[in-house]
C-alpha cells in the first residue's frame, strides 16, 4: 500500500556546519490493508518521513508510491487521510462547522459528510461537543475531532502522526479500537508512536526507525520470535522458599531431574520471553 524508495533528506545548517542528515536512504514497502506501527525515538525522523510521503516536503533523493499510484499524482490525496502531529484548527468554528469545512475542501457530498460525522464522532465520543467552539476544546477533544476529520472522505489509507499522544488511557483504548475498526473495513493504517506497547497491541507489522535508518520492517510476530531466547525459567520450591532458575533449553530436563531428586517441588517451566519493548530497545543499541 506504500512504497518508499531510496529516500534521503538532509536539512541545511549554517554556512560553516555540515548539513544534518535526517533520513539515510530509507527503503520499505508496506503490505496492503495492514495496521503498521512506525516506531522510533524522539528525533528519529518519523515526522520528516511522513511529511515526505504526503508531499509536504521534498526529499533530496527517492520516490514514493501510494496504493500503486505515483505520489506526484493528485488523485493520491483523495485516497489518503492524514492526521498531523500538531494539527491546526480554526478556533472560532464549532466542531461541526470545522468538520463540514474539511469535508467540503475535499469535495465530498453533504450526505457522506453528515453520515461519516455521525458515525465516527459517535465512536470517538466527541459528538456531544460538536456544537461548541473549538477554542474551548481540551487536547484530547481536539485529537478526537482531528481523527474524525481524517475519516470523512472514506480514505483507503490513513497516516497518523502520534495519534495516541496526549490521550488518557480510556481515550487511547477508544482510538485503538477505532483504528482496528477502520482497518476491518479495509483501510490501511500507518501510524507513528514511540510507545511500543500501543503498537504491539494493535499493529500487524512494524517499521522501526533509528537516527534516520530503518532497522526493522516486517511482522511484529517475526520480530518477537526471532528474538525469543532459547532459555527456560524453572520455578520451584526448595522446601523453604520459592526459587527461580534460568537454564539453556538443552539443559532443562537434566536440571529439572536434579531438582526433583533433591526434593524440590517444581511449580512452573516457562520459556524466557522478551517484550517487544525490550527487543526494540536492543535493536537500537
Ligand atoms: N525543518 C527542519 N530543519 C532542520 N532540522 C529539522 C527540520 N525538521 C526536522 N529536523 C530534524 O530532523 C530530525 C528528525 O525530526 P522529526 O521531527 O522527523 O523526528 P520524529 O521522529 O518525528 O521525533 P518526535 O518523536 O519527537 O516527533 C530531528 O533531529 C530534527 O531536529
Ligand atoms: Mg514527530
Amino acid at each position: 500500500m506504500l512504497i518508499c524508495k531510496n529516500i534521503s533528506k538532509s536539512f541545511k545548517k549554517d554556512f560553516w556546519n555540515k548539513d544534518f542528515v535526517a533520513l539515510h536512504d530509507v527503503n520499505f514497502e508496506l503490505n496492503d490493508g495492514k495496521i503498521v506501527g512506525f516506531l522510533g525515538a524522539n528525533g528519529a525522523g518519523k515526522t520528516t518521513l511522513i511529511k515526505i510521503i504526503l508531499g509536504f516536503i521534498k526529499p533530496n533523493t527517492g520516490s514514493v508510491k501510494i496504493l500503486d499510484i505515483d505520489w506526484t499524482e493528485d488523485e493520491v490525496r483523495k485516497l489518503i487521510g492524514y492526521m498531523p502531529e500538531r494539527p491546526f484548527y480554526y478556533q472560532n468554528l464549532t466542531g461541526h462547522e470545522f468538520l463540514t469545512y474539511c469535508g467540503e475542501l475535499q469535495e465530498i457530498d453533504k450526505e457522506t459528510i453528515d453520515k461519516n460525522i455521525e458515525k465516527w464522532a459517535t465512536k470517538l465520543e466527541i459528538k456531544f461537543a460538536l456544537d461548541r467552539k473549538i477554542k474551548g476544546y481540551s487536547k484530547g477533544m481536539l485529537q478526537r475531532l482531528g481523527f474524525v476529520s481524517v475519516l470523512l472522505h472514506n480514505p483507503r489509507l490513513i497516516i497518523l502522526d502520534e495519534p495516541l499522544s496526549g490521550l488518557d488511557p480510556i481515550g487511547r483504548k477508544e482510538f485503538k479500537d477505532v483504528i482496528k475498526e477502520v482497518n476491518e473495513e479495509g483501510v490501511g493504517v500507518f501510524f507513528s508512536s514511540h510507545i511500543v506497547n500501543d503498537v504491539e497491541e494493535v499493529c500487524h507489522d512494524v517499521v522501526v526507525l533509528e537516527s534516520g535508518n530503518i532497522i526493522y520492517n516486517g511482522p511484529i510476530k517475526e520480530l518477537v520470535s526471532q528474538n525469543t531466547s532459547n532459555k527456560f525459567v524453572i520455578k520451584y520450591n526448595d522446601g523453604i522458599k520459592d526459587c527461580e532458575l534460568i537454564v539453556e533449553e538443552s539443559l532443562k530436563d537434566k536440571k529439572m531431574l536434579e531438582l526433583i531428586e533433591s526434593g524440590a517441588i517444581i511449580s512452573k517451566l516457562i520459556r524466557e520471553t522478551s517484550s517487544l519493548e525490550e527487543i526494540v530497545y536492543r535493536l537500537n543499541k
Side-chain angles (χ1 to χ4, degrees), residues 11-12 20 22 40-49 85 161-162 194 209:
F11 291 106
K12 289 229 167 308
F20 172 76
N42 289 135
K46 303 182 296 298
T47 299
T48 305
L49 184 62
E85 193 174 27
D161 198 357
E162 303 275 355
H194 42 254
L209 189 69

Side-chain angles (χ1 to χ4, degrees), residues 7-272:
I7 306 243
S8 310
K9 177 71 190 170
S10 49
F11 291 106
K12 289 229 167 308
K13 284 200 172 166
D14 51 48
F15 183 78
W16 287 275
N17 285 307
K18 267 174 75 181
D19 292 353
F20 172 76
V21 183
L23 296 170
H24 304 259
D25 194 32
V26 167
N27 284 286
F28 66 87
E29 179 168 349
L30 305 184
N31 293 324
D32 269 351
K34 299 269 179 175
I35 307 179
V36 185
F38 187 22
L39 278 174
N42 289 135
K46 303 182 296 298
T47 299
T48 305
L49 184 62
I50 288 176
K51 284 184 179 165
I52 289 174
I53 291 169
L54 290 154
F56 296 148
I57 54 175
K58 266 197 166 348
N60 299 85
T61 64
S63 62
V64 178
K65 240 185 186 180
I66 300 168
L67 301 159
D68 274 336
I69 307 170
D70 194 81
W71 60 342
T72 51
E73 304 285 333
D74 274 347
E75 58 181 310
V76 154
R77 315 277 157 250
K78 294 214 160 98
L79 301 175
I80 43 184
Y82 163 59
M83 184 159 128
E85 193 174 27
R86 281 174 237 148
F88 172 80
Y89 298 101
Y90 293 100
Q91 299 291 318
N92 277 320
L93 295 183
T94 64
H96 198 276
E97 285 165 348
F98 171 75
L99 292 174
T100 308
Y101 173 67
C102 291
E104 283 168 357
L105 275 185
Q106 310 233 34
E107 296 170 356
I108 314 166
D109 61 275
K110 178 111 187 40
E111 202 183 316
T112 310
I113 299 177
D114 288 343
K115 201 182 81 204
N116 278 332
I117 291 179
E118 174 68 27
K119 177 176 174 184
W120 297 113
T122 307
K123 289 194 196 288
L124 288 158
E125 308 257 356
I126 189 67
K127 210 175 147 216
F128 74 98
L130 289 185
D131 289 326
R132 292 194 210 158
K133 286 206 168 168
I134 291 177
K135 61 181 164 203
Y137 277 31
S138 71
K139 197 169 178 223
M141 287 161 80
L142 288 173
Q143 203 94 327
R144 286 157 200 262
L145 189 71
F147 201 173
V148 177
S149 76
V150 166
L151 298 167
L152 291 178
H153 60 300
N154 299 324
R156 298 252 328 271
L157 167 67
I158 55 173
I159 299 178
L160 316 167
D161 198 357
E162 303 275 355
L164 302 170
S165 75
L167 292 170
D168 61 25
I170 295 170
R172 290 194 1 195
K173 162 110 184 40
E174 283 164 1
F175 262 55
K176 285 184 269 187
D177 286 347
V178 171
I179 286 177
K180 284 190 215 159
E181 199 172 328
V182 172
N183 180 250
E184 274 160 23
E185 293 186 7
V187 180
V189 185
F190 183 52
F191 78 89
S192 73
S193 174
H194 42 254
I195 302 165
V196 181
N197 289 343
D198 285 335
V199 167
E200 187 167 24
E201 211 178 297
V202 282
C203 296
H204 307 113
D205 297 344
V206 66
V207 174
V208 186
L209 189 69
E210 200 240 347
S211 307
N213 295 289
I214 300 282
I215 52 172
Y216 182 79
N217 168 29
I220 291 187
K221 273 193 195 140
E222 226 163 78
L223 180 62
V224 172
S225 69
Q226 273 169 15
N227 287 277
T228 298
S229 78
N230 59 352
K231 292 206 172 93
F232 277 78
V233 184
I234 306 171
K235 295 195 175 189
Y236 63 96
N237 189 293
D238 65 3
I240 302 165
K241 59 185 184 315
D242 290 329
C243 311
E244 201 176 283
L245 187 67
I246 299 174
V247 289
E248 292 289 333
E249 184 166 12
S250 57
L251 292 175
K252 76 175 192 308
D253 294 341
K254 185 169 166 272
K255 270 287 164 203
M256 286 210 299
L257 267 178
E258 279 173 22
L259 285 168
I260 292 166
E261 276 165 10
S262 72
I265 298 167
I266 295 175
S267 58
K268 236 180 207 166
L269 172 70
I270 40 174
R271 189 182 281 275
E272 192 187 43

